[in-house]
Amino acid sequence: VQFAVGDAAPNGERFTMSLAPSGKVAGAAKPPADPLSDQEMAEVRSRLLEARRSRPRPDVDDKVVAGWNCMLLENLAEAARGTGDPGLLEIARQLGGFIEEHMLSDGRLHRTWRQGQLGPPAFLEDFAAVGSGLIALYQADFDSRWYQLARVMAEQIVERFGDPSGGFFDTPEDQRELIARPKSIHDSPAASGGSLAADLIYRIACLGGEPEYLRLAERATASVQALASRYPAAFSHWLALMARMAGPQ
């Protein structure tokens, strides 16, 4: 700190916190008696940047994750639909187009993309979040291509991730490297792949009038109903879905 601040704060008089010899904060924050001028602050920032450049840079995780981006896509599309903001809708369209153009290979979704390279095959969470994001985008601009692509995501969930006892596995049936197929059901803190998948299947059932998909959604929610009634805080997305399913169809 002293190197970075230099003469801008002689004897440390303008520090808002006192520092121990170890470099840790030793005192409580307090407003400086004589605040730095804009010119002095600019000099301090420049010196701090110089000091930071001398240290090893942290690694940057700059890959694009399909599921996480489409959780954002769903919120962008819903915000655009609710506010009528064309800027939000355009951002959502660009994100949907990116997923369609860059994260699918031979009709199969991949979990990540980085610098033009596709990562591993997608998990249940990715298929479900992408499908839900595309459904939300379709409901915002009524471009049928988004609905058709969301329908493809739902079909692959049913065919490759379905559990005959109800609900969905996290990994596809053709991924043989694992000795067991995990099945995430807890919504903590983000929605689980299982609840996202059931939600998507239910939306497709409602929009497309498909009774088989409705039965799949009902079986999925029934498979967690007992646990959700005992531990509701861990099943928030499931419970929100159950509430919608219990209402007018």
Side-chain angles (χ1 to χ4, degrees), residues 20-234:
S22 64
K24 295 183 178 180
V25 175
K30 57 182 178 180
D34 185 12
L36 298 178
S37 67
D38 291 344
Q39 182 178 351
E40 288 173 323
M41 284 298 298
E43 182 181 352
V44 169
R45 291 192 186 98
S46 176
R47 293 189 183 191
L48 283 171
L49 182 58
E50 180 184 350
R52 188 173 67 182
R53 284 173 177 162
S54 68
R55 304 175 63 184
R57 284 183 173 270
D59 291 334
V60 177
D61 185 355
D62 57 355
K63 64 180 177 291
V64 177
V65 179
W68 299 350
N69 273 270
C70 284
M71 291 180 189
L72 172 63
L73 171 60
E74 182 173 2
N75 283 277
L76 285 169
E78 289 180 351
R81 181 184 177 192
T83 64
D85 187 329
L88 290 175
L89 182 57
E90 180 56 29
I91 295 172
R93 285 171 172 157
Q94 290 177 9
L95 182 49
F98 181 91
I99 298 296
E100 180 182 32
E101 181 178 352
H102 295 289
M103 303 201 72
L104 291 167
S105 176
D106 297 326
R108 292 292 181 93
L109 180 68
H110 288 254
R111 178 163 175 79
T112 62
W113 177 96
R114 182 178 183 270
Q115 297 181 0
Q117 298 296 317
L118 287 170
F123 299 114
L124 174 66
E125 169 191 91
D126 302 298
F127 278 94
V130 168
S132 295
L134 292 170
I135 286 291
L137 184 52
Y138 165 69
Q139 292 176 316
D141 73 356
F142 297 106
D143 186 337
S144 61
R145 75 189 251 228
W146 308 126
Y147 175 80
Q148 296 302 327
L149 188 53
R151 185 73 169 72
V152 171
M153 298 296 109
E155 289 173 353
Q156 294 208 25
I157 287 173
V158 173
E159 294 171 6
R160 301 174 60 211
F161 295 86
D163 180 355
S165 64
F168 308 93
F169 292 109
D170 292 336
T171 58
E173 62 178 2
D174 52 2
Q175 187 172 337
R176 304 297 184 183
E177 293 85 356
L178 300 176
I179 61 173
R181 297 176 70 188
K183 188 176 180 181
S184 300
I185 58 174
H186 297 104
D187 299 324
S188 179
S192 65
S195 63
L196 286 171
D199 195 335
L200 172 62
I201 297 300
Y202 177 67
R203 294 189 196 192
I204 294 291
C206 293
L207 291 171
E210 302 190 38
E212 178 58 28
Y213 273 32
L214 179 58
R215 284 192 291 270
L216 287 171
E218 290 172 343
R219 287 182 62 196
T221 54
S223 70
V224 301
Q225 196 165 19
L227 276 174
S229 65
R230 294 172 60 189
Y231 309 105

